[in-house]
Amino acid sequence: DGRRGLRLSCSSSSSSSTSAQATQAAFTCTQTSFTLKAKARGCHLVTGTIEEQLSPLLKGVSCGMCNVFLQHTSASLTINENADPSVRVDMETFLNLVVPEGYSDIPWTHTMEGKDDMPAHCKSSMFGASLNIPVTNGRLALGTWQGIWLCEHRDHATPRSIVCTVTGA
């Protein structure tokens, strides 16, 4: 049917890197995991930390994709304004207005972990737990005013685990 097949080999950053040949380009898939320190409730710019962790994986990738995955259900990731910190404050205000906490406004049934837990799950589902970001010439192809946010939706957060997978050539 004229379509060309692509074989892709995936390796973890803790083991030796492998690549696969496909038509004319060598595609690679590498993965790393790391932990972000516990943060106060709110939206936090974490672009620099994530880029630092990804730097070895992005080297040599001229065209690809990076998936950033948060392994938690009460925090979220999003891409938004990176210059004015008041945007992050306003976003937290918005989230709290849209998904109120407590037991009187909304009759939550999942309450064993505290009044902020079920609202945190809702907020996490609104933004999501993963981002797909293009990679161009060894760098995340974020726009000038774009940054990666970790949105912490709990009052007493824990460190957050991240898995990043980079594919490309």
Side-chain angles (χ1 to χ4, degrees):
D1 63 8
R3 289 183 281 176
R4 295 180 183 174
L6 171 65
R7 291 186 351 219
L8 187 62
S9 176
C10 191
S11 67
S12 170
S13 65
S14 62
S15 65
S16 64
S17 175
T18 61
S19 63
Q21 294 294 327
T23 313
Q24 295 178 327
F27 279 80
T28 61
C29 179
T30 55
Q31 188 172 83
T32 189
S33 58
F34 55 93
T35 302
L36 296 174
K37 293 178 184 176
K39 302 205 177 290
R41 183 188 181 122
C43 299
H44 305 276
L45 190 62
V46 294
T47 311
T49 302
I50 289 176
E51 286 177 330
E52 182 180 311
Q53 293 292 325
L54 285 173
S55 181
L57 277 67
L58 297 175
K59 277 187 178 173
V61 178
S62 61
C63 179
M65 288 297 293
C66 176
N67 176 268
V68 182
F69 180 72
L70 176 67
Q71 295 182 302
H72 299 275
T73 62
S74 59
S76 58
L77 295 171
T78 191
I79 294 175
N80 212 308
E81 166 81 42
N82 69 1
D84 184 353
S86 69
V87 175
R88 296 190 300 273
V89 173
D90 290 346
M91 187 65 72
E92 175 67 9
T93 300
F94 165 78
L95 288 169
N96 290 328
L97 289 171
V98 172
V99 185
E101 293 183 7
Y103 305 120
S104 58
D105 293 334
I106 296 179
W108 301 117
T109 58
H110 176 72
T111 60
M112 290 181 56
E113 296 178 56
K115 68 181 181 74
D116 67 334
D117 189 49
M118 188 59 215
H121 293 311
C122 293
K123 294 170 187 176
S124 176
S125 289
M126 289 171 62
F127 282 165
S130 70
L131 302 170
N132 287 312
I133 306 167
V135 176
T136 305
N137 297 324
R139 296 184 48 89
L140 296 177
L142 294 167
T144 301
W145 306 110
Q146 290 182 317
I148 301 169
W149 292 8
L150 170 72
C151 299
E152 181 53 66
H153 306 302
R154 296 297 310 266
D155 290 329
H156 305 288
T158 60
R160 299 300 191 174
S161 301
I162 303 279
V163 177
C164 293
T165 306
V166 176
T167 59

